[in-house]
Amino acid sequence: MSDPHNLFGSQQPFDPGSGKPGLFYSLPHLEQAGIGPISKLPVSIRLVLESVLRNCDGKRVTEASVRALANWKPNAERVEEIPFVVARIVLQDFTGVPLLVDLAAMRSAVARLGQNPTLIEPLVPVDLVVDHSVQVDFSGTADAWRQNLDMEFQRNRERYQFLKWGMQAFDTFKVVPPGIGIVHQVNLEYLAQGVLSVESQISNLKSQVYFPDTLVGTDSHTTMINGLGIVGWGVGGIEAEAGMLGQPVYFLTPDVVGVYLTGALREGVTATDLALTVTQLLRKLKVVGKFVEFFGPGATALPVVDRATIANMAPEYGATMGFFPIDEECLNYLRATGRSEAHCRTYENYYRAQGLWGIPQAGQVDYSQVAELDLAAVKPSVAGPKRPQDRIELQNLRREFFQAFQRPVTENGFGKTPKDFSRSVKVETAAKKKVRVATGSVVIAAITSCTNTSNPSVMLAAGLLAKKAVERGLKVNPAVKASLAPGSRVVTDYLKKTGLQPFLNKLRFNLVGYGCTTCIGNSGPLDAGIEDAVVKNDLVTASVLSGNRNFEARIHQNVKANFLMSPPLVVAFALAGRVDIDLSCEPLGTDKDGGQVYLADIWPTLAEIRDAMQSALKPEIFRKLYKNFAAQNPKWNEIPSSTGNVYDWDAKSTYIQEPPFFAKFSRQPGAIAEIKGARALGLFGDSVTTDHISPAGSIKKSSPAGKYLLDHGVAVEDFNSYGSRRGNDQVMTRGTFANVRIKNLMLGGEEGGHTLYFGAPASGPAQPEKMSIYDASIKYQAAGIPLVVIAGQEYGTGSSRDWAAKGTALLGVKAVVAQSFERIHRSNLVGMGVLPLQFLEGTTAQTLKLDG
Ligand code: SF4
């Protein structure tokens, strides 16, 4: 926080309820001082305004910014950028390790310049949760989670050593070690405080200044915390680094779309169904770059865990945030998850004093636009097969899957013929089980992702459904790789306490780890025989998962159809073994007596779920499990840590390398070069995701990154994933545009990271040569030829992945010309010195006849 000031007399006394008086920056006082109609502003805007007001120092944040935001208009041209200083930062390990690599590289650069390296130190608290690395190598057995954890430590030892160095080198950097949980669930259940304070010296007196908990995270789904009334969203690692080093996060003043919720969810409908419905609704409203704020009686009645599931999917609906204001439910959640009574009192006092207590009702706040949703109208749903916004009512899935099967690939289909639909193959699995794998067979069923594992109602529903299924004698098809990966150990505690875990185990939904697993594509291998049959016969098989993203090749390289759904539906589809089924009228299977069992027969009632929740959730469990991680994690303790303020780079490491970004660092900015005589490195269509640009998943042996690792003595089984190699620029540059599903239109849309090499404009090869994008880039760079990338709509959607920009820059790309960009990726490109350019409205690469 900047030095305390008293702009407009807004610094006011505050009673935190602890007996010791405090101070706060009062929004009601700002309104009384006539600065703006603050009580009519959306709550999310008021919370950002508090930060702008409190951090006003006349330099980074000026009085003009305070006045501008205090006078936010629902509908106005948006030209002003807001300087937002956040209270803290959260990281996950895939993005956090490269960020720590950058900080370490900055320290090395500062040391080389003869300065004190500790000048580089985060100015706000930073928490990194190690959650993205665990893979589902083992599943379906009691010991699977321990075996996966062992593998994780074996594969990631170097990265974890490096994190431990970071913990001792930086004062403000903390790590939640592997095996504890998933970043957003850990944030919700433990890290988030809701209200924070710092000690400040004011007129020779020390005083606590209280302020709202706000954050940015290097993961798109940071928005899950919006469910607890906390402002926060995902930013690229590059922006987060700037935020850590004291720069405000800048963003264009947003429109705020209010979503007026009424009614209540019906029997048989889950929070996941609601989240998928909201995603579809808001995608259509085009909320990209906007805040979404939920209000009305339906929002008031939703528990925080349901709000969090909806907020989590903000990146899927395209909004910067999916925000629920602060109220009694938030307080109940803080209490239920073990936050202290004293803290809860301060929390309530603070938001009451700010006039921010309670979810707004109709007419109380002015929004840019209002959408309405009656919760009673929400129906059981899934989303897929390729995009989270493509919601399908459960009863229509069979028909929709069949249609998607035949739709062209460009329309999110599979481009097959009806004849291909009947394809099926008999396979013998490694466990000597004979199975039939066909179009629509479920080969992965994963209860995964913080989106849902943070919500006990859907997790308990999965357990209850499993119990009823087992009691009726149903079994999961042996072709299905089933897994359960909760986002915290609290889930295991309540699934055990309610006696439901053994039933999940019987259906092979054994615990596989506490981490992202399938949600981030760490699904691990399929049974070799099944995978072989799928590839050889080009079968469109399916995954069913309780995650939030289902882009091609995200879940598994060879599983083409991916459906998002609630955890109980994941169990149901694992039982059915296929997605070309209408669960409203076709049976899941037969019971012990040969009777048909339908989904409705085993679906848990709301009352059953509520009873299970009441008996299971206890604050003391949260307190116990979120205490002293190191003591609970002997494997983490065994990892040695190097010491010192400057990292001792190991040239032989294939995980951690000093990146070249600061190699020629000087105190003077470099010149801006013109882009002349450039060649196209790739020509892409619409919806190229950051995962297409910089995949997180497995590394192919034959890819440039695979060859690099082999050359450096790494065996194929130790390749690990791109995500885990983000501390090594050599691997990541080779992996840029190396997604097996990326289609370069210069090669007629052929899949894989290849391009045509044309040589220098004057003296290129007679015939353009096909080669990997990396190899072409090296040749072009050696010849001093600048490169451009040409693309269609929504370039860079998907996760906030800064390597998508870093890799692009290191490949020698100087500009990306697209029809439209995703916000974070565009900002990351700018951060890396790559110019994002947009085609004029109505023109495209095709209308301009650009063929690369
Ligand atoms: S579980 Fe999925 S949404 Fe949650 S942090 Fe991991 S990858 Fe992101």
Side-chain angles (χ1 to χ4, degrees):
M1 195 174 85
S2 308
D3 289 342
H5 59 79
N6 201 359
L7 190 65
F8 311 121
S10 58
Q11 191 194 82
Q12 292 287 314
F14 165 65
D15 171 18
S18 61
K20 285 190 197 153
L23 294 169
F24 79 128
Y25 282 87
S26 166
L27 295 173
H29 190 88
L30 205 58
E31 184 161 24
Q32 281 157 22
I35 306 305
I38 290 157
S39 54
K40 291 291 275 182
L41 299 179
V43 175
S44 47
I45 292 287
R46 280 186 257 172
L47 288 167
V48 175
L49 175 61
E50 190 282 340
S51 161
V52 176
L53 171 66
R54 181 168 36 88
N55 289 289
C56 183
D57 59 1
K59 293 185 214 118
R60 292 175 314 164
V61 184
T62 62
E63 188 184 315
S65 293
V66 177
R67 287 185 182 276
L69 195 57
N71 288 286
W72 177 89
K73 302 260 177 314
N75 293 294
E77 199 190 344
R78 305 297 182 199
V79 284
E80 300 284 342
E81 288 217 312
I82 299 173
F84 182 35
V85 180
V86 292
R88 59 191 179 96
I89 288 178
V90 293
L91 312 171
Q92 37 95 332
D93 56 306
F94 270 18
T95 49
V97 169
L99 191 146
L100 187 61
V101 166
D102 288 351
L103 288 178
M106 285 180 216
R107 279 203 167 174
S108 295
V110 170
R112 279 196 294 270
L113 289 172
Q115 302 288 320
N116 179 0
T118 60
L119 282 172
I120 303 292
E121 173 74 38
L123 298 176
V124 293
V126 179
D127 289 288
L128 183 149
V129 180
V130 184
D131 58 1
H132 274 52
S133 294
V134 61
Q135 304 191 20
V136 191
D137 290 291
F138 301 93
S139 62
T141 62
D143 218 25
W145 76 273
R146 191 176 300 282
Q147 289 172 299
N148 288 326
L149 191 68
D150 286 350
M151 283 289 270
E152 180 190 348
F153 272 90
Q154 209 176 305
R155 284 191 182 117
N156 295 287
R157 197 176 168 82
E158 276 185 54
R159 295 169 70 230
Y160 296 169
Q161 261 173 339
F162 178 63
L163 286 178
K164 281 196 144 182
W165 167 79
M167 284 168 78
Q168 62 80 45
F170 296 95
D171 292 340
T172 40
F173 177 78
K174 294 203 185 72
V175 175
V176 176
I180 302 293
I182 302 175
V183 58
H184 308 308
Q185 187 164 345
V186 172
N187 193 18
L188 192 69
E189 292 178 350
Y190 167 66
L191 296 173
Q193 296 300 314
V195 67
L196 302 168
S197 68
V198 285
E199 193 173 65
S200 287
Q201 183 92 17
I202 299 164
S203 318
N204 292 331
L205 280 178
K206 286 204 169 110
S207 241
Q208 285 298 116
V209 178
Y210 290 80
F211 54 95
D213 189 354
T214 57
L215 69 147
V216 287
T218 55
D219 189 279
S220 332
H221 296 97
T222 302
T223 54
M224 195 158 100
I225 207 64
N226 304 160
L228 188 56
I230 293 176
V231 165
W233 58 84
V235 293
I238 298 157
E239 272 182 282
E241 280 168 32
M244 276 180 202
L245 299 173
Q247 291 295 309
V249 172
Y250 290 94
F251 66 105
L252 192 64
T253 305
D255 283 358
V256 183
V257 176
V259 180
Y260 184 63
L261 299 178
T262 56
L265 295 178
R266 284 181 302 116
E267 192 70 62
V269 177
T270 62
T272 321
D273 301 320
L274 172 56
L276 297 178
T277 306
V278 167
T279 301
Q280 186 187 38
L281 172 83
L282 292 176
R283 256 291 155 195
K284 284 191 189 140
L285 282 186
K286 299 201 189 309
V287 294
V288 174
K290 300 177 185 176
F291 284 5
V292 165
E293 188 165 305
F294 297 91
F295 71 113
T300 310
L302 283 176
V304 162
V305 288
D306 287 2
R307 298 176 188 178
T309 298
I310 298 165
N312 176 287
M313 290 195 75
E316 280 66 47
Y317 39 89
T320 305
M321 289 204 291
F323 183 81
F324 284 85
I326 301 123
D327 68 349
E328 203 75 35
E329 278 297 326
C330 298
L331 186 63
N332 292 343
Y333 183 80
L334 289 175
R335 271 205 186 103
T337 47
R339 272 78 164 198
S340 76
E341 216 25 67
H343 182 76
C344 290
R345 208 174 312 127
T346 305
Y347 176 86
E348 182 173 357
N349 287 4
Y350 180 82
Y351 287 107
R352 284 194 187 278
Q354 283 289 30
L356 291 172
W357 192 256
I359 288 196
Q361 300 303 313
Q364 290 180 344
V365 162
D366 294 332
Y367 293 108
S368 306
Q369 184 186 357
V370 172
E372 291 189 23
L373 179 66
D374 175 6
L375 301 185
V378 176
K379 301 208 169 113
S381 305
V382 304
K386 294 187 182 183
R387 299 192 310 177
Q389 65 264 41
D390 294 333
R391 187 182 67 88
I392 302 168
E393 274 182 31
L394 186 60
Q395 63 195 32
N396 298 335
L397 179 59
R398 182 177 59 183
R399 192 185 67 214
E400 292 282 341
F401 178 67
F402 186 63
Q403 284 173 359
F405 189 74
Q406 298 173 71
R407 263 202 314 269
V409 176
T410 49
E411 293 167 29
N412 293 309
F414 299 105
K416 306 279 182 204
T417 64
K419 210 171 110 224
D420 296 329
F421 200 83
S422 53
R423 230 181 255 175
S424 86
V425 198
K426 268 199 196 146
V427 180
E428 187 175 271
T429 66
K432 302 278 173 233
K433 295 239 160 71
K434 294 215 171 31
V435 294
R436 181 171 287 283
V437 186
T439 301
S441 286
V442 172
V443 290
I444 291 176
I447 301 178
T448 179
S449 183
C450 56
T451 320
N452 285 296
T453 66
S454 57
N455 191 331
S457 72
V458 288
M459 296 302 281
L460 288 164
L464 288 164
L465 188 134
K467 177 172 187 275
K468 293 185 186 198
V470 170
E471 285 167 355
R472 292 293 297 269
L474 297 185
K475 291 200 168 74
V476 166
N477 187 313
V480 179
K481 179 173 181 175
S483 61
L484 165 67
S488 88
R489 295 170 303 161
V490 172
V491 178
T492 300
D493 185 85
Y494 66 65
L495 284 176
K496 278 191 181 155
K497 275 210 183 96
T498 48
L500 296 173
Q501 185 62 53
F503 295 102
L504 286 160
N505 293 349
K506 282 225 161 74
L507 300 181
R508 288 190 279 115
F509 283 95
N510 299 77
L511 176 70
V512 293
Y514 299 99
C516 303
T517 61
T518 311
C519 186
I520 189 65
N522 286 347
S523 320
L526 294 178
D527 176 273
I530 292 176
E531 184 157 359
D532 196 47
V534 169
V535 174
K536 280 201 182 121
N537 296 283
D538 191 23
L539 289 174
V540 179
T541 54
S543 75
V544 293
L545 68 152
S546 55
N548 46 36
R549 292 227 159 121
N550 47 357
F551 303 123
E552 276 180 278
R554 163 118 176 168
I555 306 305
H556 189 282
Q557 300 218 3
N558 295 316
V559 181
K560 291 195 172 161
N562 302 289
F563 291 99
L564 310 177
M565 57 186 70
S566 64
L569 280 181
V570 169
V571 179
F573 277 98
L575 293 166
R578 59 195 176 98
V579 291
D580 53 330
I581 183 169
D582 175 359
L583 289 181
S584 68
C585 60
E586 290 180 67
L588 287 165
T590 46
D591 66 16
K592 292 168 258 181
D593 310 318
Q596 293 188 324
V597 182
Y598 292 85
L599 181 62
D601 300 333
I602 59 168
W603 192 266
T605 62
L606 286 176
E608 285 171 324
I609 297 168
R610 212 169 25 237
D611 288 352
M613 277 174 78
Q614 271 163 8
S615 72
L617 287 172
K618 299 280 180 276
E620 53 274 18
I621 296 303
F622 287 86
R623 280 188 213 120
K624 186 177 130 204
L625 292 177
Y626 281 115
K627 199 168 73 184
N628 199 357
F629 301 126
Q632 298 181 39
N633 204 323
K635 283 197 151 311
W636 180 250
N637 292 341
E638 280 165 18
I639 293 202
S641 156
S642 61
T643 52
N645 290 328
V646 178
Y647 188 63
D648 189 9
W649 304 98
D650 173 3
K652 290 201 288 301
S653 171
T654 54
Y655 275 104
I656 307 293
Q657 284 291 313
E658 183 172 4
F661 309 127
F662 307 100
K664 293 182 197 145
F665 187 75
S666 114
R667 292 173 168 216
Q668 302 306 321
I672 295 176
E674 284 190 275
I675 306 170
K676 275 192 172 165
R679 284 293 199 191
L681 187 61
L683 173 64
F684 304 112
D686 293 343
S687 299
V688 169
T689 66
T690 47
D691 197 69
H692 283 122
I693 305 169
S694 184
S698 55
I699 303 170
K700 268 190 140 180
K701 198 169 130 191
S702 57
S703 67
K707 285 184 199 151
Y708 166 90
L709 289 173
L710 288 172
D711 287 349
H712 284 76
V714 180
V716 177
E717 58 274 22
D718 297 326
F719 273 11
N720 212 337
S721 59
Y722 280 112
S724 67
R725 297 262 177 199
R726 286 182 187 156
N728 182 340
D729 58 287
Q730 298 285 337
V731 172
M732 297 311 294
T733 309
R734 285 165 173 81
T736 307
F737 297 111
N739 188 310
V740 293
R741 295 271 174 262
I742 194 166
K743 296 183 193 89
N744 187 351
L745 302 178
M746 285 157 73
L747 292 163
E750 180 188 304
E751 287 188 332
H754 291 96
T755 193
L756 289 179
Y757 172 69
F758 290 92
S763 58
Q767 280 298 320
E769 230 180 291
K770 181 179 160 184
M771 61 182 70
S772 75
I773 286 183
Y774 173 75
D775 289 343
S777 135
I778 293 295
K779 281 177 161 260
Y780 282 126
Q781 289 194 68
I785 298 168
L787 296 168
V788 294
V789 163
I790 300 171
Q793 297 276 11
E794 297 180 338
Y795 184 77
T797 53
S799 311
S800 54
R801 195 164 289 177
D802 54 339
W803 260 108
K806 287 175 172 169
T808 303
L810 292 181
L811 284 177
V813 174
K814 303 297 178 201
V816 177
V817 192
Q819 280 170 262
S820 64
F821 287 89
E822 194 276 339
R823 175 184 63 89
I824 299 175
H825 184 58
R826 183 180 53 199
S827 143
N828 281 342
L829 286 174
V830 173
M832 292 311 299
V834 179
L835 184 65
L837 295 171
Q838 217 161 307
F839 283 106
L840 290 176
E841 196 64 38
T843 60
T844 66
Q846 287 69 39
T847 63
L848 297 173
K849 299 203 171 23
L850 301 179
D851 60 7

